[in-house]
Structures are given as C-alpha cells and as structure tokens.
Amino acid sequence: MTRRRKIYEGKAKILYEGPEPGTLIQYFKDDATAFNAQKKGTISGKGVINNRVSEHVFSRLAHIGIPTHFIRRLNMREQLIRQVEIVPIEVIVRNVAAGTLSKRLGIEEGTPLPHTLLEYCYKDDSLGDPLVAEEHIACFGWASQEEMQDISSMAIRINDFMCGMFAAIGIRLIDFKLEFGRLYDGDFSRIILADEISPDGCRLWDIETGEKLDKDRFRRDLGGEAEAYQEVARRLGLMPEEGEGAVLDMVTHRLRKGK
Ligand code: C5P
C-alpha cells in the first residue's frame, strides 16, 4: 500500500496530497478542541458527520454560484478538494449575540442583532486568533481590498442561504465561521470558499426549544455532543449510502450506548 504524503495536520482535519496536481484530500478526525486547544477531547463519529454535512452545504452553495474548494466526497471521512492558499483570516458571521461577542460587549446570549455582523480574526494559534479590523487586514496585506469585497459579499450570501436552509429544518443559525482561499490560475488568483461548514464551526439552536446542536455542547460540558451532531445530519436528510449503513449504524449504536 502506498503511503500518502501528509501536507498539514490541524486540530480537526488532516490534509494529504491529492491524486492530481492542484488537489488535496481532506480527512475529518473525531478530535475536538476548544479555547485555542486548551480543552481537548473526541466526539465519537464527528468526522463522519462533518464530512457529510460539509459536502451537503458546499454542494448546495455551489448551486447558488458560490465557488468552493469541494470537488467530491471520497469515502466516510475524506473528500477531494482543490488546493488553495488560505487567506489568514477567519470570517465570523453573526445573526444573534453569543459566545465571544456576548462576553466582549456584555450583550446577553440570544439577543437578535439588528443586522448581520461580520467579524474578522487573524489566523494565528500562537496569538489565539485575535479579532482584527479591516484596516489591520489592509495594513498588513493579509488580503487585498478587492479580495475583502469578494469575501464579505460571499459571506453575506452564504449566511442568507444557510439561514433559510437551517430554518427549514427547525434550526436557528446563530453564528458561524468561514475560511476562504486563493485559487491560482497562473499569476491570477480568485477567492473561493475553503475549509468546512459543519456543527464544529456553527452555533445551531433548535428553533422551538433553544437546545444547542453544535460544539458548544463540548465547549461548555453540556454532554450529548455526538447526538447533537447526529441530529443536525438527520434533519438535513443525510442518510447513509449503501455499504456505509453498517458504519453509520455502528456510530449510532455507540452513541446510544454513550460510548
Ligand atoms: O467563539 P466565538 O463566539 O467567537 O465564535 C463564533 C462562531 O465562530 C461560532 O459558531 C464558533 O463555532 C465559530 N468559530 C470557529 N473557529 C474559531 C472561532 C470561532 O469555528 N477559531
């Protein structure tokens, strides 16, 4: 068996060299981290679910004209993606106050925002991904003005689409994180959506009960994180394909047994 070359290992994913130049394989782990990796654990079956959920969301975004790095899902934990140069900015899209916004500004969690708020964090683990202004991004050349225009308009369109998609399955989209990359064609590059969209990087609350269906269950020691991820996948109608049923059944069985 040939060993694939590992390009990068992050907290929740591994990137391997792809089968053709310009492609990578994105592998989804069950590892979970929070608070800049100060808290570590695993969420059983998370990688399988995030691979599926991200495939679903990215495919639907492509249908509305959002360019993404996603090419196709390869198996339970892997997807083929286009290789990009990641823009070192995390884009946080907020509809309702929660998390660090609530803490920073003293706004009660659950307060609807008068309009969608975009925040930017500089991607640097050693600095704890600090919040930055667009002026910092321009000043230090992390992205050009034109790139930021593409990024912000895509983020708003993605949010509009995702709010509707989740509302249709009884989920309120509170906030989420996006990452973008530069896809090169010779000397030219264009911005496309990269990374993943899954319950790891979104706050998702049940519309009726307000129950949290995302990584806050892990961050805040609420328990039932694996079941919450499963519930999101179930509501999105992501049923296993033939041949994979056994593995997803096993994941479900383990979850029921609390393993
Ligand atoms: O922690 P905070 O309130 O700033 O997070 C806002 C949103 O961005 C949450 O949905 C969180 O899951 C996501 N996020 C992320 N990765 C980070 C920071 C935030 O997925 N490094």
Side-chain angles (χ1 to χ4, degrees):
M1 208 174 84
T2 53
R3 267 195 167 270
R4 288 176 308 186
R5 196 159 71 90
K6 193 193 279 188
I7 305 287
Y8 172 81
E9 178 154 7
K11 285 169 268 188
K13 294 188 293 288
I14 305 172
L15 294 177
Y16 294 101
E17 198 169 55
E20 291 147 33
T23 66
L24 295 175
I25 292 168
Q26 180 164 250
Y27 176 96
F28 288 76
K29 301 193 276 187
D30 283 350
D31 295 352
T33 61
F35 313 119
N36 199 25
Q38 286 172 45
K39 177 173 175 157
K40 289 185 183 150
T42 57
I43 301 175
S44 181
K46 172 174 87 85
V48 176
I49 291 168
N50 284 358
N51 188 20
R52 270 297 174 88
V53 170
S54 205
E55 171 195 22
H56 180 78
V57 178
F58 275 52
S59 304
R60 294 194 62 185
L61 288 172
H63 281 138
I64 62 156
I66 303 286
T68 85
H69 73 166
F70 179 80
I71 301 173
R72 67 174 180 278
R73 188 168 58 81
L74 297 172
N75 55 49
M76 298 281 286
R77 286 185 184 271
E78 293 178 332
Q79 48 183 243
L80 186 66
I81 58 170
R82 270 178 255 281
Q83 184 162 27
V84 294
E85 178 185 271
I86 289 288
V87 176
I89 301 294
E90 294 190 341
V91 181
I92 311 288
V93 186
R94 299 186 186 269
N95 299 304
V96 175
T100 59
L101 176 75
S102 290
K103 213 173 267 176
R104 201 185 322 125
L105 301 178
I107 301 169
E108 195 184 342
E109 282 216 319
T111 308
L113 301 175
H115 62 80
T116 300
L117 189 61
L118 294 187
E119 291 179 338
Y120 304 107
C121 296
Y122 178 53
K123 258 174 80 70
D124 186 324
D125 284 340
S126 66
L127 299 173
D129 300 336
L131 184 71
V132 294
E134 282 196 68
E135 282 76 4
H136 293 102
I137 298 171
C139 183
F140 298 110
W142 295 322
S144 71
Q145 223 109 323
E146 295 75 37
E147 287 176 330
M148 286 311 291
Q149 237 156 34
D150 287 350
I151 286 174
S152 57
S153 63
M154 268 194 248
I156 294 292
R157 283 194 68 210
I158 293 167
N159 181 53
D160 287 346
F161 178 81
M162 281 179 45
C163 279
M165 183 188 79
F166 281 117
I169 55 167
I171 291 175
R172 202 169 163 210
L173 179 61
I174 305 301
D175 57 31
F176 60 101
K177 181 206 63 163
L178 296 173
E179 291 189 28
F180 293 88
R182 295 183 185 98
L183 184 66
Y184 279 93
D185 181 4
D187 286 343
F188 295 98
S189 72
R190 64 186 177 110
I191 292 288
I192 67 172
L193 181 65
D195 195 45
E196 70 177 296
I197 296 181
S198 73
D200 261 7
C202 301
R203 282 199 174 88
L204 304 168
W205 295 0
D206 182 89
I207 282 180
E208 296 296 327
T209 64
E211 189 190 356
K212 297 183 197 317
L213 299 171
D214 55 63
K215 205 164 102 178
D216 270 350
R217 301 206 73 84
F218 170 76
R219 291 188 191 101
R220 302 180 185 192
D221 294 321
L222 300 175
E225 44 269 52
E227 291 85 347
Y229 281 56
Q230 277 262 317
E231 178 62 11
V232 173
R234 191 192 65 76
R235 289 195 200 182
L236 285 170
L238 304 178
M239 303 304 288
E241 285 165 16
E242 215 177 311
E244 291 179 355
V247 183
L248 268 192
D249 281 352
M250 196 180 76
V251 172
T252 315
H253 181 69
R254 261 197 273 151
L255 297 181
R256 278 204 213 99
K257 296 198 125 193
K259 284 192 212 157

